[in-house]
Amino acid sequence: MSEGGALAAVAAGGAVGSLGRWGLASLASGAVWGTLLVNLSGAFAMGLLVTWLARRVPHPLARPFLAVGLLGGWTTYSGVALDAHGLVGDGLLGLLGYLVTTLGVGVGAALLGLVIGDRLWHSNAVADEIVAEGEL
């Protein structure tokens, strides 16, 4: 796989993911819950993707397009930081609730995606190796 091909796959996936996130944020009227929804759904989708890719010999551009580009563009840490800053004025309890939900439920969503993916695609240890090696 050429570096240019991988770069184009990441860019194309990132454009699609970012446009989807922008569309959802528009529907959510800028509420912080739009950011939470994209991050939780992205974590879940990443778990599914890892197990799906582990059972196949994917096209060499699948991981750059789907994991780095699409899901990287769909999810956003910078959005979490901005939303958290906006919640500071609403009190500590709301801010902490949002951050704990984002981080805690986000990790849970990724694990749920891995478990469901394992069951759907009868995965094996390869998915765990992909995660451990940081290939996504």
Side-chain angles (χ1 to χ4, degrees):
M1 167 178 54
S2 72
E3 190 171 322
L7 183 61
V10 169
V16 172
S18 296
L19 288 170
R21 179 174 32 116
W22 175 81
L24 183 70
S26 296
L27 291 174
S29 301
V32 297
W33 304 113
T35 303
L36 180 64
L37 179 61
V38 297
N39 286 323
L40 296 181
S41 65
F44 178 74
M46 185 64 80
L48 286 176
L49 179 64
V50 165
T51 57
W52 182 76
L53 290 173
R55 295 297 297 168
R56 286 154 182 72
V57 178
H59 187 281
L61 297 177
R63 281 188 179 104
F65 176 80
L66 294 170
V68 180
L70 181 71
L71 292 178
W74 176 250
T75 61
T76 172
Y77 183 77
S78 58
V80 171
L82 186 62
D83 289 345
H85 182 269
L87 287 171
V88 168
D90 293 342
L92 186 59
L93 189 59
L95 171 63
L96 289 177
Y98 176 73
L99 292 174
V100 167
T101 300
T102 297
L103 297 174
V105 178
V107 169
L111 291 174
L112 182 62
L114 285 167
V115 168
I116 291 173
D118 278 342
R119 294 222 166 109
L120 285 174
W121 298 296
H122 308 292
S123 189
N124 54 26
V126 176
D128 295 333
E129 292 170 16
I130 291 171
V131 173
E133 292 175 11
E135 289 186 25
L136 301 174

